[in-house]
Amino acid sequence: MWLLWLGYFHSGLKGGLIAFNACLEVSSPEDILETRTKNTKKLKKFYDKVENKIEEIMKSWKTKSKIIENKNLIILKFSTKISIQSPIATKIGLENHHYTIIVARDSGNRTYISLRRNDGKVDCSKLAEISTKNLKNSSGGGHTPAAGAHIMRKDWNKFIEKIISLA
């Protein structure tokens, strides 16, 4: 299943089709891991690109984030076509249990957001829902420790003001 996710989120339907075909071409999981076919080789390139981008952002997140100590809030925003805000939010959250983590990715006229809080003191689902409530073409929700949202790119400052006021 992660192969389909990887292919789709890297290259949309075309990538999902490559991942699907890779699964059909192989006779065992080892064939995928050892990139024995044309499509598994393409998937490996996708995987490497995704992992490299995550690693690049993880190396610099502390200097590129807005950290609001008195609110225990970390806000990181970046632009990429690759949907990696969720794993980055998770990684930052694992290192910072007592912070609410907001990781946002701009893509086109939309901003996609992942929220994390590992100590349970903030319900990320409610935070995402409330923070997107009056924003046009936006929504948010999920689970207490992990949630997601999407907003119009132009509404970022309104969204963050609401997050800060609720944190």
Side-chain angles (χ1 to χ4, degrees), residues 107-148:
S107 182
N109 66 350
R110 311 281 301 168
T111 298
Y112 300 91
I113 305 154
S114 290
L115 302 89
R116 301 290 185 274
R117 180 71 183 231
N118 288 329
D119 65 6
K121 291 186 177 180
V122 173
D123 184 334
C124 288
S125 178
K126 288 181 182 173
L127 186 60
E129 185 180 333
I130 293 167
S131 298
T132 58
K133 188 172 184 176
N134 294 319
L135 301 177
K136 188 176 179 183
N137 298 318
S138 301
S139 69
H143 307 282
T144 299

Short mmCIF file of all heavy atoms in Angstrom, two decimals, residues 107-148:
data_model
loop_
_atom_site.label_atom_id
_atom_site.label_comp_id
_atom_site.label_asym_id
_atom_site.label_seq_id
_atom_site.Cartn_x
_atom_site.Cartn_y
_atom_site.Cartn_z
N SER A 107 0.99 24.44 -2.20
CA SER A 107 0.98 23.82 -3.52
C SER A 107 -0.13 24.49 -4.32
O SER A 107 -1.31 24.37 -3.97
CB SER A 107 0.73 22.32 -3.41
OG SER A 107 0.76 21.72 -4.69
N GLY A 108 0.27 25.25 -5.32
CA GLY A 108 -0.72 26.01 -6.08
C GLY A 108 -1.36 27.06 -5.19
O GLY A 108 -0.67 27.73 -4.42
N ASN A 109 -2.68 27.18 -5.26
CA ASN A 109 -3.38 28.17 -4.43
C ASN A 109 -3.88 27.59 -3.11
O ASN A 109 -4.67 28.22 -2.42
CB ASN A 109 -4.53 28.81 -5.22
CG ASN A 109 -5.63 27.82 -5.54
OD1 ASN A 109 -5.48 26.61 -5.36
ND2 ASN A 109 -6.75 28.32 -6.04
N ARG A 110 -3.41 26.41 -2.76
CA ARG A 110 -3.82 25.73 -1.53
C ARG A 110 -2.64 25.59 -0.58
O ARG A 110 -1.48 25.56 -0.99
CB ARG A 110 -4.37 24.34 -1.83
CG ARG A 110 -5.39 24.25 -2.93
CD ARG A 110 -6.76 24.64 -2.58
NE ARG A 110 -7.28 23.84 -1.49
CZ ARG A 110 -8.39 24.14 -0.84
NH1 ARG A 110 -9.07 25.20 -1.15
NH2 ARG A 110 -8.81 23.40 0.13
N THR A 111 -2.97 25.45 0.70
CA THR A 111 -1.98 25.11 1.72
C THR A 111 -2.50 23.87 2.45
O THR A 111 -3.65 23.84 2.89
CB THR A 111 -1.77 26.27 2.70
OG1 THR A 111 -1.27 27.40 1.97
CG2 THR A 111 -0.77 25.91 3.79
N TYR A 112 -1.65 22.86 2.54
CA TYR A 112 -1.99 21.60 3.20
C TYR A 112 -1.22 21.54 4.51
O TYR A 112 -0.02 21.80 4.54
CB TYR A 112 -1.65 20.43 2.28
CG TYR A 112 -2.40 20.51 0.98
CD1 TYR A 112 -1.86 21.16 -0.12
CD2 TYR A 112 -3.68 19.99 0.87
CE1 TYR A 112 -2.57 21.28 -1.32
CE2 TYR A 112 -4.40 20.09 -0.32
CZ TYR A 112 -3.83 20.74 -1.40
OH TYR A 112 -4.55 20.85 -2.57
N ILE A 113 -1.93 21.21 5.58
CA ILE A 113 -1.38 21.37 6.92
C ILE A 113 -1.50 20.07 7.72
O ILE A 113 -2.54 19.41 7.69
CB ILE A 113 -2.13 22.50 7.66
CG1 ILE A 113 -2.07 23.78 6.82
CG2 ILE A 113 -1.58 22.71 9.06
CD1 ILE A 113 -3.21 24.73 7.07
N SER A 114 -0.44 19.75 8.45
CA SER A 114 -0.47 18.64 9.40
C SER A 114 -0.23 19.21 10.79
O SER A 114 0.63 20.06 10.98
CB SER A 114 0.60 17.60 9.08
OG SER A 114 0.26 16.91 7.90
N LEU A 115 -1.01 18.72 11.74
CA LEU A 115 -0.91 19.17 13.14
C LEU A 115 -0.57 17.95 14.00
O LEU A 115 -1.15 16.88 13.81
CB LEU A 115 -2.23 19.78 13.61
CG LEU A 115 -2.76 20.97 12.83
CD1 LEU A 115 -3.64 20.54 11.68
CD2 LEU A 115 -3.55 21.87 13.75
N ARG A 116 0.33 18.13 14.97
CA ARG A 116 0.70 17.05 15.88
C ARG A 116 0.84 17.59 17.29
O ARG A 116 1.28 18.71 17.51
CB ARG A 116 2.04 16.42 15.49
CG ARG A 116 2.10 15.82 14.11
CD ARG A 116 1.28 14.55 14.00
NE ARG A 116 1.43 13.91 12.72
CZ ARG A 116 0.72 14.20 11.64
NH1 ARG A 116 -0.19 15.14 11.67
NH2 ARG A 116 0.94 13.54 10.51
N ARG A 117 0.50 16.75 18.26
CA ARG A 117 0.77 17.04 19.68
C ARG A 117 0.79 15.69 20.39
O ARG A 117 -0.22 15.01 20.49
CB ARG A 117 -0.31 17.95 20.27
CG ARG A 117 -0.13 18.30 21.73
CD ARG A 117 1.05 19.25 21.96
NE ARG A 117 1.25 19.54 23.36
CZ ARG A 117 1.36 20.74 23.88
NH1 ARG A 117 1.32 21.81 23.11
NH2 ARG A 117 1.56 20.89 25.16
N ASN A 118 1.96 15.31 20.89
CA ASN A 118 2.14 13.96 21.43
C ASN A 118 1.83 13.79 22.91
O ASN A 118 1.68 12.67 23.37
CB ASN A 118 3.56 13.47 21.14
CG ASN A 118 3.75 13.16 19.68
OD1 ASN A 118 2.83 12.75 19.00
ND2 ASN A 118 4.96 13.37 19.18
N ASP A 119 1.72 14.89 23.67
CA ASP A 119 1.45 14.71 25.09
C ASP A 119 -0.04 14.76 25.44
O ASP A 119 -0.40 14.62 26.60
CB ASP A 119 2.23 15.72 25.93
CG ASP A 119 1.81 17.17 25.68
OD1 ASP A 119 0.84 17.41 24.95
OD2 ASP A 119 2.49 18.06 26.23
N GLY A 120 -0.90 14.93 24.46
CA GLY A 120 -2.34 14.91 24.68
C GLY A 120 -2.93 16.17 25.27
O GLY A 120 -4.13 16.23 25.53
N LYS A 121 -2.14 17.20 25.49
CA LYS A 121 -2.64 18.43 26.10
C LYS A 121 -3.41 19.30 25.13
O LYS A 121 -4.12 20.23 25.56
CB LYS A 121 -1.50 19.23 26.73
CG LYS A 121 -0.92 18.53 27.95
CD LYS A 121 0.09 19.38 28.65
CE LYS A 121 0.57 18.65 29.91
NZ LYS A 121 1.55 19.44 30.63
N VAL A 122 -3.29 19.03 23.84
CA VAL A 122 -4.04 19.76 22.82
C VAL A 122 -4.68 18.74 21.90
O VAL A 122 -4.04 17.78 21.47
CB VAL A 122 -3.11 20.69 22.00
CG1 VAL A 122 -3.85 21.32 20.83
CG2 VAL A 122 -2.51 21.77 22.89
N ASP A 123 -5.96 18.92 21.61
CA ASP A 123 -6.68 18.06 20.67
C ASP A 123 -6.48 18.64 19.27
O ASP A 123 -7.12 19.63 18.90
CB ASP A 123 -8.15 17.99 21.03
CG ASP A 123 -8.95 17.04 20.16
OD1 ASP A 123 -8.54 16.80 19.00
OD2 ASP A 123 -9.99 16.55 20.63
N CYS A 124 -5.60 18.04 18.50
CA CYS A 124 -5.28 18.55 17.16
C CYS A 124 -6.49 18.51 16.23
O CYS A 124 -6.64 19.39 15.37
CB CYS A 124 -4.13 17.75 16.55
SG CYS A 124 -2.55 18.11 17.34
N SER A 125 -7.36 17.54 16.41
CA SER A 125 -8.55 17.46 15.58
C SER A 125 -9.44 18.69 15.77
O SER A 125 -9.87 19.33 14.81
CB SER A 125 -9.34 16.19 15.91
OG SER A 125 -10.51 16.13 15.13
N LYS A 126 -9.70 19.02 17.03
CA LYS A 126 -10.52 20.21 17.31
C LYS A 126 -9.81 21.49 16.88
O LYS A 126 -10.44 22.41 16.37
CB LYS A 126 -10.87 20.27 18.80
CG LYS A 126 -11.88 19.22 19.21
CD LYS A 126 -12.24 19.33 20.68
CE LYS A 126 -13.21 18.23 21.04
NZ LYS A 126 -13.48 18.17 22.47
N LEU A 127 -8.50 21.54 17.09
CA LEU A 127 -7.73 22.72 16.69
C LEU A 127 -7.83 22.93 15.18
O LEU A 127 -8.05 24.05 14.71
CB LEU A 127 -6.26 22.54 17.11
CG LEU A 127 -5.33 23.73 16.90
CD1 LEU A 127 -5.80 24.95 17.68
CD2 LEU A 127 -3.92 23.35 17.31
N ALA A 128 -7.70 21.86 14.40
CA ALA A 128 -7.80 21.95 12.95
C ALA A 128 -9.21 22.35 12.52
O ALA A 128 -9.40 23.19 11.64
CB ALA A 128 -7.42 20.62 12.31
N GLU A 129 -10.20 21.77 13.17
CA GLU A 129 -11.59 22.06 12.82
C GLU A 129 -11.96 23.52 13.12
O GLU A 129 -12.52 24.23 12.28
CB GLU A 129 -12.52 21.12 13.60
CG GLU A 129 -13.97 21.24 13.24
CD GLU A 129 -14.85 20.29 14.04
OE1 GLU A 129 -14.35 19.23 14.48
OE2 GLU A 129 -16.02 20.63 14.23
N ILE A 130 -11.62 23.98 14.31
CA ILE A 130 -11.95 25.35 14.72
C ILE A 130 -11.17 26.37 13.88
O ILE A 130 -11.72 27.40 13.49
CB ILE A 130 -11.68 25.55 16.23
CG1 ILE A 130 -12.66 24.70 17.04
CG2 ILE A 130 -11.78 27.01 16.61
CD1 ILE A 130 -12.29 24.58 18.52
N SER A 131 -9.92 26.08 13.60
CA SER A 131 -9.07 27.04 12.88
C SER A 131 -9.43 27.21 11.42
O SER A 131 -9.06 28.19 10.79
CB SER A 131 -7.60 26.63 12.99
OG SER A 131 -7.20 26.64 14.34
N THR A 132 -10.15 26.25 10.87
CA THR A 132 -10.57 26.35 9.47
C THR A 132 -12.04 26.68 9.31
O THR A 132 -12.52 26.88 8.19
CB THR A 132 -10.29 25.02 8.72
OG1 THR A 132 -11.00 23.95 9.37
CG2 THR A 132 -8.81 24.71 8.68
N LYS A 133 -12.76 26.78 10.41
CA LYS A 133 -14.22 26.87 10.38
C LYS A 133 -14.77 27.99 9.48
O LYS A 133 -15.67 27.75 8.69
CB LYS A 133 -14.76 27.05 11.80
CG LYS A 133 -16.26 26.96 11.86
CD LYS A 133 -16.76 26.95 13.27
CE LYS A 133 -18.27 26.77 13.26
NZ LYS A 133 -18.80 26.65 14.59
N ASN A 134 -14.30 29.18 9.57
CA ASN A 134 -14.86 30.29 8.80
C ASN A 134 -14.02 30.66 7.58
O ASN A 134 -14.19 31.75 7.04
CB ASN A 134 -15.04 31.51 9.71
CG ASN A 134 -16.11 31.25 10.76
OD1 ASN A 134 -17.15 30.66 10.48
ND2 ASN A 134 -15.83 31.66 11.98
N LEU A 135 -13.16 29.76 7.16
CA LEU A 135 -12.35 30.02 5.98
C LEU A 135 -12.98 29.31 4.78
O LEU A 135 -13.28 28.12 4.85
CB LEU A 135 -10.91 29.52 6.19
CG LEU A 135 -10.15 30.14 7.36
CD1 LEU A 135 -8.77 29.51 7.50
CD2 LEU A 135 -10.05 31.65 7.21
N LYS A 136 -13.16 30.04 3.69
CA LYS A 136 -13.80 29.51 2.49
C LYS A 136 -12.96 28.39 1.88
O LYS A 136 -11.74 28.48 1.83
CB LYS A 136 -13.99 30.64 1.48
CG LYS A 136 -14.81 30.27 0.28
CD LYS A 136 -15.03 31.46 -0.62
CE LYS A 136 -15.83 31.04 -1.83
NZ LYS A 136 -16.02 32.15 -2.76
N ASN A 137 -13.64 27.33 1.43
CA ASN A 137 -13.00 26.18 0.78
C ASN A 137 -11.93 25.54 1.65
O ASN A 137 -10.87 25.13 1.16
CB ASN A 137 -12.40 26.58 -0.57
CG ASN A 137 -13.44 27.05 -1.55
OD1 ASN A 137 -14.52 26.48 -1.65
ND2 ASN A 137 -13.15 28.13 -2.26
N SER A 138 -12.18 25.45 2.93
CA SER A 138 -11.22 24.89 3.87
C SER A 138 -11.89 23.87 4.77
O SER A 138 -13.10 23.92 4.97
CB SER A 138 -10.63 26.01 4.74
OG SER A 138 -9.99 26.97 3.93
N SER A 139 -11.10 22.98 5.32
CA SER A 139 -11.62 22.05 6.32
C SER A 139 -10.45 21.48 7.11
O SER A 139 -9.30 21.56 6.69
CB SER A 139 -12.42 20.92 5.67
OG SER A 139 -11.59 20.06 4.94
N GLY A 140 -10.80 20.91 8.25
CA GLY A 140 -9.78 20.30 9.09
C GLY A 140 -10.39 19.31 10.05
O GLY A 140 -11.56 19.41 10.39
N GLY A 141 -9.59 18.36 10.47
CA GLY A 141 -10.05 17.36 11.42
C GLY A 141 -9.05 16.21 11.49
O GLY A 141 -7.99 16.25 10.88
N GLY A 142 -9.41 15.20 12.26
CA GLY A 142 -8.53 14.04 12.40
C GLY A 142 -8.68 13.40 13.75
O GLY A 142 -9.78 13.10 14.19
N HIS A 143 -7.57 13.25 14.44
CA HIS A 143 -7.52 12.59 15.74
C HIS A 143 -6.86 13.52 16.75
O HIS A 143 -6.23 14.51 16.38
CB HIS A 143 -6.73 11.28 15.63
CG HIS A 143 -7.24 10.38 14.55
ND1 HIS A 143 -8.36 9.61 14.71
CD2 HIS A 143 -6.79 10.17 13.29
CE1 HIS A 143 -8.59 8.95 13.58
NE2 HIS A 143 -7.65 9.27 12.70
N THR A 144 -6.97 13.19 18.01
CA THR A 144 -6.40 14.06 19.06
C THR A 144 -4.91 14.32 18.86
O THR A 144 -4.50 15.48 18.86
CB THR A 144 -6.69 13.46 20.45
OG1 THR A 144 -8.10 13.38 20.62
CG2 THR A 144 -6.10 14.33 21.55
N PRO A 145 -4.07 13.30 18.66
CA PRO A 145 -2.64 13.60 18.54
C PRO A 145 -2.21 14.02 17.14
O PRO A 145 -1.12 14.57 16.97
CB PRO A 145 -1.97 12.29 18.92
CG PRO A 145 -2.96 11.24 18.53
CD PRO A 145 -4.31 11.85 18.75
N ALA A 146 -3.03 13.76 16.13
CA ALA A 146 -2.63 14.04 14.75
C ALA A 146 -3.85 14.40 13.91
O ALA A 146 -4.85 13.70 13.92
CB ALA A 146 -1.94 12.82 14.15
N ALA A 147 -3.72 15.51 13.21
CA ALA A 147 -4.83 15.97 12.37
C ALA A 147 -4.28 16.64 11.13
O ALA A 147 -3.08 16.88 11.01
CB ALA A 147 -5.72 16.92 13.16
N GLY A 148 -5.19 16.96 10.23
CA GLY A 148 -4.80 17.64 9.01
C GLY A 148 -5.82 18.70 8.65
O GLY A 148 -6.94 18.71 9.16
#
